[in-house]
């Protein structure tokens, strides 16, 4: 692919990203993540503040009970009684449970259950002015190689909500920039073998968000893969405070300025990033 073709592909990618994050039930619509062990103490009798119904976590799912006046709908029908829900696997727009325009999504992290609320009328979505992104620069499309570990590793890293959680890592992404070798620890998708890195660099917290994601795709059988920093992504927690994104693991802070890809939100939502 020529540089002009790559630049055109990048512009399309960026336009699609803006459309995705600003969609009615995209990350800007997340208005709450309610951990059931914390937000449903006994004195609230199963109530989550500002969320209809009564909730309780079990070993294998979440049970919600509602009366008609709660206004909850399950699979498009009013919920009158109890329903048991597992973790949602699809996008929020397809959630089985809704309260008017708000979608309710059940998640599980390290054995703990939570309910998320997605509201297309959220303040963050209304205020969204776009994503600051650096135009395509071929100097940041770097040849790389994936070096798998002998076995998967798990490291504890702080998350955006202040908790430490396990981050699974399957190997290292090796590449060279400005004549110096670099490496990023990466997770490996169990289904398609695609790679995912959480990284920071010399621009983080200054002209870029405090950390970003990189998804280089699936390496070739010999490990060859392109490390295209032009496709650096803002993490979900850049769009809403209620996401629990992991911070970069030790060693995943690049010493140079990766002035490429998505940098931060435009306008008021970027203040302080």
């Amino acid at each position: 692919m020529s540089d002009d073709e790559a630049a055109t592909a990048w512009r399309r990618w960026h336009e699609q990203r803006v459309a995705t994050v600003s969609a009615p039930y995209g990350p800007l619509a997340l208005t709450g993540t309610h951990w059931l062990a914390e937000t449903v103490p006994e004195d609230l009798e199963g109530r989550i503040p500002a969320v209809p119904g009564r909730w309780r976590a079990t070993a294998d799912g979440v049970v919600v009970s509602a009366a008609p006046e709660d206004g909850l709908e399950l699979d498009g029908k009013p919920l009158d009684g109890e329903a048991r829900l597992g973790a949602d696997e699809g996008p929020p727009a397809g959630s089985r449970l809704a309260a008017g325009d708000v979608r309710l999504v059940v998640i599980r992290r390290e054995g703990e259950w939570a309910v998320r609320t997605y509201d297309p009328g959220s303040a963050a979505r209304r205020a969204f002015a776009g994503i600051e992104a650096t135009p395509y620069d071929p100097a940041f499309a770097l040849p790389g190689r994936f070096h798998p570990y002998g076995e998967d590793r798990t490291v504890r890293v702080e998350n955006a909500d202040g908790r430490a959680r396990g981050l699974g890592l399957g190997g290292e992404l090796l590449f060279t920039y400005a004549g110096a070798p670099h490496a990023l620890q990466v997770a490996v998708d169990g289904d398609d073998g695609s790679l995912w890195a959480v990284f920071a660099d010399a621009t983080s917290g200054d002209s870029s968000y405090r950390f970003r994601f990189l998804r280089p795709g699936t390496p070739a059988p010999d490990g060859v893969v392109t490390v295209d920093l032009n496709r650096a992504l803002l993490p979900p927690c850049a769009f809403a405070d209620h996401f629990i994104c992991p911070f970069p693991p030790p060693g995943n802070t690049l010493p140079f300025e990766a002035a490429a890809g998505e940098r931060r939100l435009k306008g008021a939502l970027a203040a302080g990033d």
Side-chain angles (χ1 to χ4, degrees):
M1 183 183 296
S2 69
D3 289 349
D4 286 345
E5 291 172 329
T8 298
W10 181 90
R11 285 193 296 271
R12 291 172 179 164
W13 168 81
H14 176 61
E15 291 168 359
Q16 182 60 46
R17 274 283 294 168
V18 172
T20 298
V21 302
S22 61
Y25 296 100
L28 288 162
L30 182 65
T31 55
T33 296
H34 308 277
W35 297 99
L36 296 186
E38 299 175 356
T39 58
V40 192
E42 292 184 4
D43 58 347
L44 291 183
E45 299 181 334
R47 294 286 188 184
I48 298 174
V51 179
R54 297 178 185 273
W55 303 79
R56 72 177 189 274
T58 68
D60 57 356
V62 170
V63 175
V64 57
S65 59
E69 58 267 25
D70 287 314
L72 283 177
E73 291 188 351
L74 181 65
D75 296 329
K77 299 179 181 179
L79 177 61
D80 185 6
E82 281 193 355
R84 183 177 296 275
L85 306 170
D88 283 272
E89 301 296 338
S95 175
R96 300 175 58 204
L97 196 63
D101 290 335
V102 175
R103 295 291 186 267
L104 304 173
V105 174
V106 173
I107 66 169
R108 190 181 192 188
R109 298 290 187 275
E110 296 192 329
E112 297 186 27
W113 295 91
V115 178
R116 279 182 166 162
T117 52
Y118 285 84
D119 183 355
S122 71
R125 186 165 180 262
R126 294 196 307 270
F128 180 64
I131 300 172
E132 289 186 15
T134 301
Y136 181 82
D137 182 348
F140 283 110
L142 308 167
R145 184 177 296 274
F146 171 60
H147 176 72
Y149 297 138
E151 58 184 19
D152 288 347
R153 305 174 184 177
T154 299
V155 297
R156 302 292 289 181
V157 297
E158 186 178 354
N159 284 214
D161 64 349
R163 295 187 182 187
R165 295 182 177 87
L167 177 64
L169 300 169
E172 292 185 341
L173 189 58
L174 308 174
F175 61 98
T176 298
Y177 178 74
H182 301 282
L184 290 174
Q185 299 178 84
V186 293
V188 182
D189 186 279
D191 293 328
D192 62 9
S194 61
L195 309 179
W196 169 59
V198 187
F199 78 98
D201 67 277
T203 71
S204 298
D206 184 10
S207 59
S208 298
Y209 190 71
R210 52 185 171 169
F211 62 94
R212 290 179 285 171
F213 290 175
L214 185 67
R215 298 185 182 277
T218 303
D222 61 358
V224 170
V225 63
T226 298
V227 182
D228 191 353
L229 295 172
N230 293 288
R231 302 285 181 110
L233 300 162
L234 291 179
C237 53
F239 302 100
D241 291 336
H242 306 285
F243 284 105
I244 55 174
C245 308
F247 289 175
N252 270 29
T253 297
L254 299 173
F256 61 88
E257 293 189 354
E262 296 182 354
R263 308 291 294 277
R264 58 185 182 183
L265 298 187
K266 290 182 178 178
L269 290 180
D273 290 343

